[in-house]
Coordinates of all heavy atoms in Angstrom, one line a residue:
T1 N -171.8 172.5 68.3 CA -170.4 172.3 68.4 C -169.7 173.1 67.3 O -170.1 173.1 66.1 CB -170.0 170.8 68.2 OG1 -170.7 170.0 69.2 CG2 -168.5 170.6 68.2
F2 N -168.6 173.8 67.7 CA -167.8 174.6 66.8 C -166.3 174.1 66.9 O -165.8 173.8 68.0 CB -167.9 176.1 67.2 CG -169.2 176.7 67.0 CD1 -170.2 176.5 67.9 CD2 -169.5 177.3 65.8 CE1 -171.5 177.0 67.7 CE2 -170.8 177.9 65.6 CZ -171.8 177.7 66.5
I3 N -165.7 174.1 65.8 CA -164.2 174.0 65.7 C -163.6 175.3 65.3 O -164.0 175.8 64.2 CB -163.8 172.9 64.7 CG1 -164.3 171.5 65.3 CG2 -162.3 172.8 64.6 CD1 -165.2 170.8 64.4
Y4 N -162.8 175.9 66.2 CA -162.3 177.2 66.0 C -160.8 177.2 65.7 O -160.0 176.7 66.6 CB -162.6 178.1 67.2 CG -162.3 179.6 66.9 CD1 -162.5 180.2 65.7 CD2 -161.7 180.3 68.0 CE1 -162.1 181.6 65.6 CE2 -161.4 181.7 67.8 CZ -161.6 182.3 66.6 OH -161.3 183.6 66.4
T5 N -160.4 177.6 64.5 CA -159.0 177.6 64.2 C -158.5 179.0 64.0 O -159.0 179.8 63.2 CB -158.8 176.8 62.8 OG1 -159.3 175.5 63.0 CG2 -157.3 176.7 62.5
D6 N -157.4 179.3 64.7 CA -156.7 180.6 64.4 C -155.6 180.2 63.3 O -154.7 179.6 63.6 CB -156.0 181.0 65.7 CG -155.3 182.4 65.5 OD1 -154.6 182.6 64.5 OD2 -155.5 183.3 66.4
I7 N -155.9 180.7 62.1 CA -155.0 180.4 61.0 C -153.6 180.7 61.2 O -152.7 180.0 60.8 CB -155.6 181.0 59.7 CG1 -156.9 180.4 59.3 CG2 -154.6 180.9 58.5 CD1 -157.6 181.1 58.2
G8 N -153.4 181.8 61.9 CA -152.0 182.3 62.2 C -151.2 181.3 63.0 O -149.9 181.4 62.9
T9 N -151.8 180.4 63.7 CA -151.1 179.5 64.5 C -151.0 178.1 63.9 O -150.2 177.2 64.3 CB -151.7 179.3 65.9 OG1 -153.0 178.8 65.8 CG2 -151.7 180.7 66.6
D10 N -151.9 177.8 62.9 CA -152.1 176.4 62.4 C -150.8 175.9 61.7 O -150.3 176.5 60.8 CB -153.3 176.3 61.5 CG -153.6 174.9 61.2 OD1 -154.2 174.2 62.1 OD2 -153.4 174.5 60.1
G11 N -150.4 174.7 62.2 CA -149.2 174.1 61.6 C -147.9 174.8 61.9 O -146.8 174.4 61.3
T12 N -147.9 175.7 62.8 CA -146.6 176.4 63.1 C -145.8 175.9 64.3 O -144.7 176.2 64.5 CB -146.9 177.9 63.4 OG1 -147.7 178.0 64.6 CG2 -147.7 178.6 62.3
L13 N -146.5 175.1 65.1 CA -145.9 174.6 66.3 C -145.5 175.7 67.3 O -144.6 175.6 68.1 CB -144.7 173.7 66.1 CG -144.9 172.4 65.3 CD1 -143.6 171.6 65.0 CD2 -145.9 171.5 66.1
G14 N -146.3 176.8 67.2 CA -146.0 178.0 68.0 C -146.8 178.2 69.2 O -146.8 179.2 69.9
G15 N -147.7 177.2 69.4 CA -148.6 177.3 70.6 C -150.0 177.9 70.1 O -150.0 178.7 69.2
P16 N -151.1 177.4 70.8 CA -152.4 178.0 70.4 C -152.6 179.4 70.9 O -151.9 179.9 71.8 CB -153.3 177.0 71.2 CG -152.5 176.5 72.3 CD -151.1 176.4 71.8
N17 N -153.5 180.1 70.2 CA -153.8 181.5 70.6 C -154.9 181.3 71.7 O -156.1 181.3 71.4 CB -154.3 182.2 69.4 CG -154.5 183.7 69.7 OD1 -154.8 184.1 70.8 ND2 -154.4 184.6 68.7
L18 N -154.4 181.3 72.9 CA -155.4 181.1 74.0 C -156.3 182.3 74.2 O -157.5 182.1 74.7 CB -154.6 180.9 75.3 CG -153.7 179.6 75.3 CD1 -152.8 179.6 76.6 CD2 -154.5 178.4 75.3
V19 N -155.9 183.5 73.8 CA -156.8 184.6 74.0 C -158.0 184.5 73.1 O -159.1 184.7 73.5 CB -156.0 185.9 73.7 CG1 -156.9 187.1 73.6 CG2 -154.9 186.1 74.7
T20 N -157.8 184.2 71.8 CA -158.9 184.1 70.9 C -159.8 182.9 71.2 O -161.0 183.0 71.1 CB -158.4 184.0 69.4 OG1 -157.6 182.9 69.2 CG2 -157.7 185.3 69.0
Q21 N -159.2 181.8 71.6 CA -160.0 180.7 72.0 C -160.8 181.0 73.2 O -162.0 180.6 73.3 CB -159.1 179.5 72.3 CG -158.3 178.9 71.1 CD -159.1 178.3 70.1 OE1 -160.3 178.0 70.3 NE2 -158.6 178.0 68.9
E22 N -160.3 181.7 74.2 CA -161.1 182.1 75.4 C -162.2 183.0 75.0 O -163.3 183.0 75.5 CB -160.2 182.7 76.4 CG -161.0 183.0 77.7 CD -160.1 183.3 78.9 OE1 -158.9 183.5 78.8 OE2 -160.7 183.5 80.0
E23 N -162.0 184.0 74.1 CA -163.0 184.9 73.6 C -164.2 184.1 73.0 O -165.4 184.4 73.3 CB -162.5 185.8 72.6 CG -161.6 186.9 73.1 CD -161.0 187.7 72.0 OE1 -161.0 187.3 70.8 OE2 -160.4 188.8 72.3
M24 N -163.9 183.0 72.2 CA -164.9 182.2 71.6 C -165.6 181.4 72.7 O -166.9 181.3 72.7 CB -164.3 181.3 70.6 CG -165.4 180.6 69.7 SD -166.5 181.7 68.8 CE -165.4 182.1 67.4
L25 N -164.9 180.8 73.6 CA -165.5 180.0 74.7 C -166.5 180.9 75.5 O -167.6 180.5 75.9 CB -164.4 179.5 75.6 CG -163.6 178.3 75.0 CD1 -162.3 178.1 75.8 CD2 -164.5 177.0 75.1
K26 N -166.0 182.1 75.9 CA -166.8 183.0 76.7 C -168.1 183.4 76.0 O -169.2 183.5 76.6 CB -166.0 184.3 77.0 CG -166.7 185.2 77.9 CD -165.8 186.4 78.3 CE -166.4 187.4 79.3 NZ -165.5 188.5 79.6
L27 N -168.0 183.5 74.6 CA -169.2 183.9 73.8 C -170.2 182.7 73.8 O -171.4 182.9 74.0 CB -168.8 184.2 72.4 CG -169.9 184.4 71.4 CD1 -170.5 185.8 71.5 CD2 -169.5 184.2 70.0
L28 N -169.7 181.5 73.6 CA -170.5 180.3 73.4 C -171.1 179.7 74.7 O -172.2 179.1 74.7 CB -169.8 179.2 72.7 CG -169.3 179.5 71.2 CD1 -168.4 178.4 70.7 CD2 -170.5 179.8 70.3
A29 N -170.4 179.9 75.8 CA -170.8 179.3 77.1 C -172.2 179.6 77.5 O -173.0 178.6 77.8 CB -169.8 179.6 78.2
P30 N -172.7 180.8 77.5 CA -174.1 181.1 77.9 C -175.1 180.5 77.0 O -176.3 180.3 77.4 CB -174.1 182.6 77.9 CG -172.7 183.1 77.9 CD -172.0 182.1 77.2
I31 N -174.7 180.3 75.8 CA -175.7 179.7 74.8 C -175.7 178.2 74.9 O -176.7 177.6 74.4 CB -175.3 180.2 73.4 CG1 -175.1 181.7 73.3 CG2 -176.3 179.8 72.3 CD1 -174.6 182.2 72.0
G32 N -174.7 177.6 75.5 CA -174.7 176.2 75.7 C -174.0 175.4 74.5 O -174.3 174.2 74.4
A33 N -173.2 176.1 73.7 CA -172.5 175.5 72.6 C -171.1 175.1 73.0 O -170.4 175.8 73.8 CB -172.5 176.4 71.4
N34 N -170.6 174.0 72.5 CA -169.2 173.5 72.8 C -168.2 174.0 71.7 O -168.6 174.3 70.6 CB -169.2 172.0 72.8 CG -169.9 171.4 74.0 OD1 -170.0 172.1 75.1 ND2 -170.5 170.3 73.9
L35 N -166.9 174.0 72.1 CA -165.9 174.4 71.3 C -164.7 173.4 71.3 O -164.4 172.8 72.3 CB -165.3 175.8 71.7 CG -164.2 176.3 70.9 CD1 -164.7 176.8 69.6 CD2 -163.5 177.5 71.6
I36 N -164.2 173.1 70.1 CA -163.0 172.3 69.9 C -161.9 173.3 69.4 O -162.1 174.0 68.4 CB -163.2 171.2 68.9 CG1 -164.3 170.2 69.5 CG2 -161.9 170.4 68.7 CD1 -164.7 169.2 68.5
A37 N -160.8 173.4 70.2 CA -159.8 174.4 69.8 C -158.8 173.8 68.8 O -158.4 172.6 68.9 CB -159.0 174.8 71.1
S38 N -158.4 174.5 67.8 CA -157.5 174.0 66.8 C -156.5 175.1 66.4 O -156.7 176.2 66.3 CB -158.4 173.7 65.5 OG -157.5 173.3 64.4
G39 N -155.2 174.5 66.2 CA -154.2 175.4 65.8 C -153.1 175.6 66.8 O -153.3 176.2 67.8
G40 N -151.8 175.2 66.4 CA -150.7 175.6 67.1 C -150.1 174.7 68.2 O -149.1 175.0 68.8

């Protein structure tokens, strides 16, 4: 399990960085690891 935070969005109420979260999800999916998205 991973918690992935894009610091640039955290606490800004500007919306999550869906692009970077998807990049991480795509990387982890074949390995079988889960992601919790954080920030924005």
